[in-house]
Amino acid sequence: MTGADEVPEAHGEWRGWREATQEALYGPEGFYRTGPEGPARHFRTSVHASPLFAAAVARLLCRVDEALGRPARLAFVDMAAGRGELVTGVLAALPAAVSARTRAYAVEVARRPGGLDHRIEWLAEPPHGVTGLLFANEWLDNVPVEVAEVDAAGVARRVLVRGDGTERLGGPVAGAEAAWLARWWPLPGEEGLRAEIGLPRDTAWASAVASLDAGLAVAADYAHTVDSRPPFGTLTGFRAGRETRPVPDGSCDITAHVALDACASAHAARCAPDRTPPDALVRPQREALRALGLTGVRPPLALASTDPAAYLRALTRASQAAELLAPGGLGDFGWLLQPVGGVDAAALLVDVADDEEE
C-alpha cells in the first residue's frame, strides 16, 4: 500500500473501511438488504446451528423476568434479527405464562419477511423505555469500523479501500480514534501491524443498552480483549458459507471481531456521574450456555435398546449442544452481559445440573 492522499481514481474512490463497509452492507443494494434468505445463506451462526440456542436465550429471558419481579410487560429485543430466526425460536420456547406477557421486537435494516409471527414487531431501531432482555447475536461485528495500519515510519495510518478491495494507506489516525487505539488497542511501531478502531461499536452498544429501562443486554460475538488483540486485525469476508477476501461491493459479508471490553467500558462511561453502573460480565459462550442448561453429554447407550427413538433425539440434541459449546468454534464466542437497573448479571448465570436438562 502506498500514498497518503484520498482523491478518487478511475477504478473507484478511495474511502476508509468504515464508509465503504457501511454502503456495502447497509446501502440500498447492500448485503443485508437483499435476498429472501438473508445472510443465513452465506454464514452459519449459533441461531442457525440449533434450536437449542434459542431455547437457552428463552431460559435467560425467564431468569431476567424473575429478577425483575415478573413485570406486566416483558420485552425481548432481537438486535440484527436477520429474518427473525432467533426471536421466533425464543417465543416458541417460552413457557405460556411468560409468553403471554412478552413483547417481542426484531431490529433489522431489511424489510419484514413474509409469514413472520404477528406478535413480533419489526423495527429499524431498538424500542426505548422497555424492560427485559436485549440480545445482540453477531451484531457488533457488522458495525463498520476504520482500519489502521502502521507505516514504515512507525505511524498508525487509516487504511483506504476501493470497491474492488484494493487498499492503500491514508492519513495518520488522529483525535478520538487515536485515543481509542492508545487505550484499547495500542500498536507498537512495527510496520504492517493492524487494528480495527472499535469506537463506533462502543457508541452503538452504549446506545442499545440505554434503550432499556431495566433488565439485561447481551452481545454475543467474535471477540478479543486488550491483553490478546490479534497483531494483524481480523477484518474478513464471508460468501456462500466460505471465508473470503473482504470486498466492499455488496457481494459478501464484511466482519471483524469485537473488542467487548471496550464496549462494556463505553456503557459505564455514559452512566450518570452519581450512579455506579452494575457490573458487566464477559464470558465465553460455552460457559454462558452451560450455565443456561446446555451440555454436550451423550445419552447412555442402554437407551438405544430400550427406546431407540428417544436415544436418537437425545443424541441429536447432544451433538447440537456440542457444536454450540465447541472450543475453537462457536463456544469461543464472547458474551458481554450488561445489566441495567440493579439486575445482577452473575446471578443469572447459575449452573444447571445435567439431569435438569430438558
Side-chain angles (χ1 to χ4, degrees), residues 15-25 144 161-162 248-249 254:
R15 299 181 292 177
W17 267 105
R18 183 183 180 191
E19 180 184 352
T21 302
Q22 182 69 32
E23 181 176 334
L25 296 185
V161 64
R162 291 193 305 210
D249 62 359
I254 299 173

Side-chain angles (χ1 to χ4, degrees), residues 6 14-21 145-146 158-161:
E6 304 184 22
W14 292 102
R15 299 181 292 177
W17 267 105
R18 183 183 180 191
E19 180 184 352
T21 302
V145 293
E146 297 290 3
R158 202 160 57 104
V159 177
L160 308 179
V161 64

Side-chain angles (χ1 to χ4, degrees), residues 153-179:
V155 176
R157 294 183 176 271
R158 202 160 57 104
V159 177
L160 308 179
V161 64
R162 291 193 305 210
D164 62 358
T166 304
E167 293 181 330
R168 73 179 185 191
L169 295 185
V173 178
E177 292 180 339

Side-chain angles (χ1 to χ4, degrees), residues 122-162:
W122 196 263
L123 302 171
E125 300 287 343
H128 281 264
V130 297
T131 296
L133 174 63
L134 180 146
F135 201 94
N137 186 64
E138 294 195 47
W139 168 49
L140 289 173
D141 68 299
N142 287 127
V143 173
V145 293
E146 297 290 3
V147 178
E149 182 174 321
V150 179
D151 67 9
V155 176
R157 294 183 176 271
R158 202 160 57 104
V159 177
L160 308 179
V161 64
R162 291 193 305 210

Side-chain angles (χ1 to χ4, degrees), residues 56-99:
V57 175
R59 189 173 292 116
L60 179 59
L61 178 59
C62 289
R63 293 184 183 181
V64 171
D65 182 44
E66 290 288 338
L68 293 170
R70 300 182 182 180
R73 286 177 175 265
L74 178 70
F76 177 69
V77 182
D78 181 8
M79 294 292 298
R83 296 302 181 264
E85 298 95 336
L86 178 60
V87 64
T88 298
V90 168
L91 284 176
L94 287 175
V98 179
S99 178

Side-chain angles (χ1 to χ4, degrees), residues 2-355:
T2 61
D5 58 285
E6 304 184 22
V7 298
E9 291 193 354
H11 297 289
E13 181 182 359
W14 292 102
R15 299 181 292 177
W17 267 105
R18 183 183 180 191
E19 180 184 352
T21 302
Q22 182 69 32
E23 181 176 334
L25 296 185
Y26 306 113
E29 301 300 321
F31 178 81
Y32 278 95
R33 292 189 183 273
T34 58
E37 296 177 353
R41 74 183 188 274
H42 292 280
F43 54 84
R44 179 180 174 86
T45 73
S46 299
V47 177
H48 307 122
S50 168
L52 294 177
F53 187 80
V57 175
R59 189 173 292 116
L60 179 59
L61 178 59
C62 289
R63 293 184 183 181
V64 171
D65 182 44
E66 290 288 338
L68 293 170
R70 300 182 182 180
R73 286 177 175 265
L74 178 70
F76 177 69
V77 182
D78 181 8
M79 294 292 298
R83 296 302 181 264
E85 298 95 336
L86 178 60
V87 64
T88 298
V90 168
L91 284 176
L94 287 175
V98 179
S99 178
R101 291 183 287 108
T102 299
R103 301 296 179 266
Y105 305 91
V107 182
E108 181 56 73
V109 297
R111 293 180 179 179
R112 181 187 182 97
L116 191 69
D117 191 317
H118 71 277
R119 294 175 294 172
I120 300 170
E121 187 172 349
W122 196 263
L123 302 171
E125 300 287 343
H128 281 264
V130 297
T131 296
L133 174 63
L134 180 146
F135 201 94
N137 186 64
E138 294 195 47
W139 168 49
L140 289 173
D141 68 299
N142 287 127
V143 173
V145 293
E146 297 290 3
V147 178
E149 182 174 321
V150 179
D151 67 9
V155 176
R157 294 183 176 271
R158 202 160 57 104
V159 177
L160 308 179
V161 64
R162 291 193 305 210
D164 62 358
T166 304
E167 293 181 330
R168 73 179 185 191
L169 295 185
V173 178
E177 292 180 339
W180 190 94
L181 279 181
R183 170 65 180 88
W184 293 109
W185 199 327
L187 284 172
E190 179 181 337
E191 185 178 7
L193 295 182
R194 288 171 67 125
E196 291 104 27
I197 305 173
L199 191 59
R201 293 170 173 178
D202 296 355
T203 302
W205 179 245
S207 179
V209 176
S211 71
L212 290 175
D213 274 356
L216 180 73
V218 178
D221 231 314
Y222 301 98
H224 44 61
T225 55
V226 71
D227 58 352
S228 61
R229 305 287 191 224
F232 302 103
T234 61
L235 188 75
T236 191
F238 284 93
R239 181 188 296 114
R242 296 178 179 272
E243 190 169 359
T244 186
R245 185 170 73 99
V247 178
D249 62 359
S251 67
C252 67
D253 185 30
I254 299 173
T255 179
H257 294 198
V258 183
L260 286 180
D261 48 353
C263 293
S265 180
H267 169 67
R270 285 183 56 160
C271 289
D274 60 345
R275 177 174 168 234
T276 301
D279 290 335
L281 300 177
V282 178
R283 295 287 186 271
Q285 174 160 292
R286 73 177 66 86
E287 290 185 13
L289 290 181
R290 282 172 178 154
L292 292 168
L294 263 68
T295 75
V297 177
R298 295 168 64 93
L301 190 58
L303 184 62
S305 300
T306 59
D307 193 340
Y311 176 79
L312 289 176
R313 289 195 300 270
L315 186 63
T316 298
R317 188 165 60 246
S319 298
Q320 292 174 350
E323 181 181 2
L324 292 170
L325 301 170
L330 295 175
D332 285 347
F333 270 46
W335 276 36
L336 166 58
L337 296 96
Q338 197 105 46
V340 179
V343 172
D344 184 352
L348 298 172
L349 294 185
V350 179
D351 290 333
V352 176
D354 291 351
D355 61 0

